[in-house]
Amino acid sequence: DTGVSQDPRHKITKRGQNVTFRCDPISEHNRLYWYRQTLGQGPEFLTYFQNEAQLEKSRLLSDRFSAERPKGSFSTLEIQRTEQGDSAMYLCASSPALEIIYGYTFGSGTRLTVV
Amino acid sequence: AQTVTQSQPEMSVQEAETVTLSCTYDTSESDYYLFWYKQPPSRQMILVIRQEAYKQQNATENRFSVNFQKAAKSFSLKISDSQLGDAAMYFCAYRTQGGSEKLVFGKGTKLTVNP
């Protein structure tokens, strides 16, 4: 296993278009997280899955955002009707059940630019 | 709501010297966890060190150590014998012990290591 994989690495889209990002966690990790990082800021929590169940969502996750993790494996994050303010790095992380001990393993992120 | 503050946007250190990065946080909880994450220019975040609030002993990982002052809500990171590979953004993060799974990050400190 080579770590957390995110695809694509970069995405440029026109305002109003829909985009979807994919995250493949480490296979034995049952927890998966999405964070958003804008320039000059630390990552901000978006949502968290334990297996296929979405257990926590931030108020940052507006109705234009939706995340899924079918079968508890990979996850997708979709943004509908993108806005310029959605431009950011979207980070995915995974962890085993004892994430307090082992911490997250982050992916390299998907950089979204909305023009 | 918990907040994490990193008051030093940028720091620099000479190779082989020691540098301390500051972090303060605000919480009304007594049980929580604190982390330092490193984000090199490749953007993949890596866990550096973690501290459980109930432990009085400061955590140490090789050249990295923390000074955890619970009453002052301070959690600084000391990097000894700095190496060129230590150059990165460093983020302080907070996680409650119960309830929410999210990490709350500070804005980060950019560390430059001069040869």
Side-chain angles (χ1 to χ4, degrees), chain B residues 17-109:
Chain B
E17 297 294 308
T18 296
V19 64
T20 298
L21 308 184
S22 300
C23 173
T24 58
Y25 58 93
D26 187 27
T27 184
S28 58
E29 300 175 338
S30 58
D31 295 320
Y32 48 87
Y33 302 90
L34 297 165
F35 305 86
W36 279 98
Y37 276 86
K38 171 185 178 181
Q39 189 175 39
S42 67
R43 310 294 290 188
Q44 187 169 20
M45 297 187 70
I46 304 166
L47 176 65
V48 175
I49 199 167
R50 65 178 178 85
Q51 174 81 42
E52 293 92 336
Y54 64 86
K55 288 187 177 180
Q56 293 185 342
Q57 186 174 6
N58 289 324
T60 299
E61 289 288 342
N62 301 314
R63 298 182 294 107
F64 299 86
S65 61
V66 298
N67 183 4
F68 174 47
Q69 301 290 328
K70 190 172 184 179
K73 297 180 182 176
S74 171
F75 183 62
S76 61
L77 174 70
K78 185 172 79 171
I79 306 174
S80 304
D81 185 25
S82 297
Q83 301 175 359
L84 294 178
D86 293 334
M89 286 292 292
Y90 285 82
F91 293 95
C92 179
Y94 169 102
R95 184 200 184 281
T96 184
Q97 186 184 34
S100 175
E101 293 277 335
K102 71 179 182 183
L103 289 178
V104 177
F105 287 87
K107 291 186 176 183
T109 296

